[in-house]
Amino acid sequence: MPNIVEVNYHQTGESTVTNPMGMRDMQARAFEARDAQYLLLKAPPASGKSRALMFLALDKLSNQGIKKVIVAVPERSIGSSFDRTDLMRHGFFANWEPNDQYNLCTPGSDGSKSKVEAFHNFMRKPNERILICTHATLRFACEELEETVFNDTLIAIDEFHHVSADVNNRLGDLLRNIIDKSTAHIIAMTGSYFRGDSVPILTPEDEARFTKVTYNYYQQLNGYKYLKSLGIGYHFYQGRYTTAISEILDTDKKTILHIPNVNAGESTKKKHDEVDFILDSIGTVIRQDPATGVIFVKREPDGKIIKVADLVEDNPKERDKIVAYLRNIKSVDDMDLIIALGMAKEGFDWPYCEHALTVGYRGSLTEIIQIIGRATRDSENKTHAQFTNLIAQPDAADDLVKLSVNNMLKAITASLLMEQVLAPNWSFKTKMSDTDKAKPGELKIRGLKEPSSKRVKEIIESDLNDLKAAILQDDQIMKAISGQVVEPEVINKVLTPKIIRVKYPELSEEEVEEVRQYVVTDSVVKKAEIVEQGDKRFIKMADQFVNLDDLHIDLIDQVNPFQRAFEVLSKSVDTKVLKVIQETIHATRIKMDFEEAKILWPKIQEFVKTYEKQPSINSNDPLERRMAECVIYLKEEKRKRMANG
């Protein structure tokens, strides 16, 4: 099926070219903030976060009085990203030279006595400067140490979205204590700052302490040399996913295939059988190399040999063999297909990958972004990268229809968020007069409230995609996406500010409104079509073209920012399935509240005046039915008030 999202880039080469110190664009931006005690670096996969940390850490060791550097990664395989690196030959003033003795990303339990002891020895030895370990080893080692031990130490946490403000999150807890009770410096790095659950990574108070450097996906992909386009699409199946794999798996494209977790509805519960089925669907297994673990499959019908890596394998010895092979791939011909379950997401580097094929909805937007990132490395073997999500299509006879509907909605929601993330950013300013002209990349809007505080400016500059993720994952917004008629002004003026208040409880009502206007404007404008006619530019909103010079915030508030989600859904499934989806959603429809009723009431009065009748609950017009529900709600509210005297 066609892609939901298809984004084209300009191949400027800017994000991959280096400056006289050997730094790429993102790394140079991060280095500008090197003096910050607490630094939060948000940048997409493949932008070079590992090396950015090396530059920052070496500067802190050489010029800022820092004595030790601890790098913590979520899993052992990512530790190799921080191996010895010659930076001086590219123009930097020092090399990254960790002592192998203190690279604790080695086989064995992360909480083993030997690793914890090695960590403690490192902290005691004044001449040892760099230690690399997993998040788990850091947690276990810190249980026996006072926070003051980390004075004059830099702690760098890779894949920072694993941290959480939840009191039960040990990593988040120890980080807060180290910040509060020591002089430690912290560098937090992540490719995506939204976790997928409702718990924030940091509390607003803690987050406010961090200097933020954000490098977005558009800057990264637009600045590549080879990759020109990225597609995000869905393939729906009924029955077992294994029967649909052969329709979508193209072994001429370098592919990472993520099969579903055994607890997911899409899983057959027999993961090894699923791997065997996938291999059989390609052709005949000839052999498996005992030294590397590579599986050789003779493809039907042309006999081409396909090299496959099985990362679903449970045996640690066998899995370590294939992981070691993948880590040392030097040629595009060294591998064709990687089949994975929990691995090959974060920090996994296979630049030649063209297609990330994922079965079943992933539990968080973070995971989806990490998987897409596997295919968006810049490499001369590809001009296009593709993410395909294979999702179960709801079946009216299926007991799991509600779960299936929910997963479909979440998947499409995620793709629309990615569409926003992958597009260029606009800068929005208030239009003061007819002569007030916009600069390139700027849009002037009448009535727009500009940021009145540093906090609002920070949210707009660094957190907009994270805020959109929170909005798009909200239950009520998702029901609105499903086609249930909710007035655009209700989405924009009632539901959206509610979510902003929960996410940023420290904001005043005036600040909430400033953020609300910006996030709604950004959502509407990014998915709108802009055309030029002569010396004028027009933006298409709600199926009509509006002169950009006449754009007003009131007009933007009348546009449903998620209308495209419903259009995508309608085109992606047939009418029977769409009816199942709408009925499922209707069973738990949005409850009316007074704020929505207040917006609907003038429309009800206009309806009665025009048609000389009350709106009917049985009408074929969904808006009329919603107005009828509003009338019932208001009558019920009036009855309750009279009953209470």
Side-chain angles (χ1 to χ4, degrees), residues 21-68:
M21 293 181 82
M23 297 177 188
R24 283 154 57 182
D25 188 24
M26 182 281 287
Q27 295 158 352
R29 293 188 193 200
F31 197 68
E32 285 173 13
R34 60 190 176 277
D35 293 331
Q37 183 176 1
Y38 307 124
L39 182 63
L40 175 57
L41 175 57
K42 294 196 274 186
S47 57
K49 291 189 290 296
S50 305
R51 191 163 290 198
L53 171 64
M54 296 176 194
F55 292 129
L56 290 163
L58 289 168
D59 186 81
K60 286 182 181 290
L61 285 168
S62 301
N63 304 319
Q64 297 182 40
I66 290 294
K67 305 286 193 297
K68 290 181 180 294

Side-chain angles (χ1 to χ4, degrees), residues 10 20 68 77 100 111 115 126 136 143 153 238 244 252-253 274-275 354 391 463 481 495 497 514 628:
H10 295 124
K68 290 181 180 294
S77 62
D100 289 342
K115 287 188 181 180
E143 283 175 5
T153 298
Q238 288 187 316
D252 281 326
K253 289 188 167 62
E274 290 173 30
V275 173
E354 299 166 83
I391 304 174
D463 295 354
I481 287 172
L495 301 181
E514 289 161 8

Side-chain angles (χ1 to χ4, degrees), residues 88-328:
M88 293 176 75
R89 71 187 174 104
H90 299 294
F92 198 60
F93 61 76
N95 285 329
W96 178 256
E97 297 178 321
N99 181 342
D100 289 342
Q101 186 183 346
Y102 293 108
N103 178 359
L104 307 184
C105 292
T106 48
S109 167
D110 291 331
S112 67
K113 190 177 178 184
S114 60
K115 287 188 181 180
V116 169
E117 214 165 87
F119 189 105
H120 292 169
N121 283 339
F122 170 80
M123 295 307 295
R124 283 193 290 266
K125 291 186 176 178
N127 296 327
E128 292 299 340
R129 305 201 311 162
I130 300 170
L131 177 139
I132 301 158
C133 67
T134 63
H135 291 175
T137 300
L138 177 64
R139 290 199 313 269
F140 287 117
C142 285
E143 283 175 5
E144 300 167 36
L145 295 174
E146 293 290 324
E147 287 82 5
T148 50
V149 167
F150 298 103
N151 286 345
D152 304 324
T153 298
L154 166 65
I155 300 175
I157 298 183
D158 195 20
E159 307 299 356
F160 191 62
H161 50 268
H162 287 269
V163 174
S164 160
D166 189 311
V167 289
N168 297 316
N169 183 288
R170 182 73 189 107
L171 189 58
D173 195 37
L174 77 86
L175 187 67
R176 280 187 294 279
N177 286 332
I178 288 170
I179 288 173
D180 288 339
K181 299 175 184 177
S182 79
T183 63
H185 286 215
I186 309 286
I187 295 177
M189 305 188 298
T190 180
S192 57
Y193 195 50
F194 28 78
R195 288 165 50 93
D197 55 27
S198 58
V199 183
I201 292 175
L202 293 170
T203 62
E205 301 79 39
D206 286 337
E207 193 178 325
R209 297 178 177 187
F210 280 76
T211 299
K212 292 178 187 174
V213 175
T214 301
Y215 193 71
N216 66 38
Y217 282 76
Y218 182 80
Q219 290 167 317
Q220 171 70 3
L221 273 69
N222 202 52
Y224 275 163
K225 185 177 177 183
Y226 303 107
L227 191 65
K228 189 177 182 181
S229 60
L230 170 64
I232 299 175
Y234 293 87
H235 187 88
F236 299 109
Y237 71 91
Q238 288 187 316
R240 289 193 167 188
Y241 85 83
T242 45
T243 58
I245 277 288
S246 55
E247 296 172 33
I248 204 76
L249 177 59
D250 179 354
T251 47
D252 281 326
K253 289 188 167 62
K254 305 294 178 183
T255 302
I256 293 181
L257 167 55
H258 282 100
I259 68 171
N261 183 287
V262 289
N263 297 317
E266 293 85 358
S267 174
T268 65
K269 314 305 176 196
K270 295 177 180 177
K271 60 184 183 179
H272 298 299
D273 289 353
E274 290 173 30
V275 173
D276 290 342
F277 187 94
I278 291 161
L279 295 174
D280 290 342
S281 74
I282 297 168
T284 307
V285 175
I286 299 171
R287 67 186 180 92
Q288 182 170 16
D289 187 320
T292 62
V294 174
I295 300 167
F296 294 83
V297 184
K298 187 176 181 181
R299 185 171 71 182
E300 297 289 348
D302 64 354
K304 181 183 175 183
I305 302 300
I306 304 297
K307 294 176 184 174
V308 182
D310 174 11
L311 295 182
V312 181
E313 171 62 61
D314 285 324
N315 183 322
K317 198 173 176 184
E318 291 300 314
R319 197 172 59 236
D320 285 348
K321 263 196 278 188
I322 190 64
V323 167
Y325 175 83
L326 292 173
R327 200 177 286 162
N328 292 303

Side-chain angles (χ1 to χ4, degrees), residues 578-591:
L578 190 60
K579 188 168 182 287
V580 171
I581 291 170
Q582 289 175 313
E583 284 173 357
T584 306
I585 295 295
H586 191 70
T588 55
R589 68 173 175 265
I590 297 173
K591 292 184 175 70

Side-chain angles (χ1 to χ4, degrees), residues 596-606 614 630-631 634:
E596 182 178 351
K598 204 160 58 174
I599 287 169
L600 283 173
W601 182 244
K603 297 178 190 297
I604 293 168
Q605 289 176 306
E606 195 180 318
Q614 289 290 324
C630 180
V631 171
L634 289 170

